[in-house]
Amino acid sequence: MYTSLDSMGKVSLMMDLISQRQRALGSNVANVDTPGYLRQDISFGQYLSSMNSPLETQLSEKLGPSAVITEQSDDPINPANELLQMQENAILYSMATRRMSNIVTEMKTVINVGK
């Protein structure tokens, strides 16, 4: 049985993952000239594909089939690429906040209809 609370919890988790990725990408930009710094990233495509909502399924298709892990790479940090990924992440966060807003609106509608 579908409940708005289940969906709200999923979107909340998704927003948490997106914000953690934004922190990792920001750290990469901040440490672009730090010797020995390893590039960090958080990928969560497979985690989202385990959710049964069309939004999460679409996001997982875009993000790829990787698990929720913190990745470290020896590759040199390309600031332009990091900023591009930060913009993509911001768009994902915007989508998640819109979804959360829709859930709250649905709940308000149900409450008002029940009066």
Side-chain angles (χ1 to χ4, degrees):
M1 180 174 152
Y2 169 80
T3 66
S4 292
L5 294 177
D6 291 342
S7 186
M8 187 179 283
K10 289 178 183 180
V11 174
S12 177
L13 286 173
M14 185 171 50
M15 291 172 72
D16 288 343
L17 289 169
I18 292 169
S19 65
Q20 288 175 7
R21 183 165 191 246
Q22 194 76 357
R23 271 188 239 116
L25 294 171
S27 180
N28 292 341
V29 171
N31 291 293
V32 70
D33 291 327
T34 304
Y37 179 79
L38 297 176
R39 183 184 179 280
Q40 298 179 353
D41 198 358
I42 296 174
S43 54
F44 45 91
Q46 188 168 345
Y47 178 79
L48 292 177
S49 69
S50 68
M51 297 180 175
N52 294 323
S53 168
L55 173 66
E56 288 87 4
T57 303
Q58 289 173 4
L59 286 175
S60 69
E61 289 170 0
K62 298 278 186 202
L63 296 173
S66 55
V68 180
I69 55 173
T70 300
E71 299 174 348
Q72 291 189 337
S73 171
D74 291 334
D75 297 335
I77 298 172
N78 179 350
N81 188 36
E82 297 297 318
L83 293 174
L84 177 65
Q85 289 183 21
M86 289 176 78
Q87 286 294 327
E88 290 173 357
N89 211 41
I91 291 169
L92 291 175
Y93 193 81
S94 176
M95 290 172 51
T97 57
R98 277 192 230 139
R99 178 65 185 133
M100 185 66 82
S101 177
N102 289 340
I103 292 168
V104 171
T105 301
E106 289 173 7
M107 293 173 80
K108 285 180 180 178
T109 302
V110 169
I111 290 169
N112 288 331
V113 168
K115 288 184 179 180

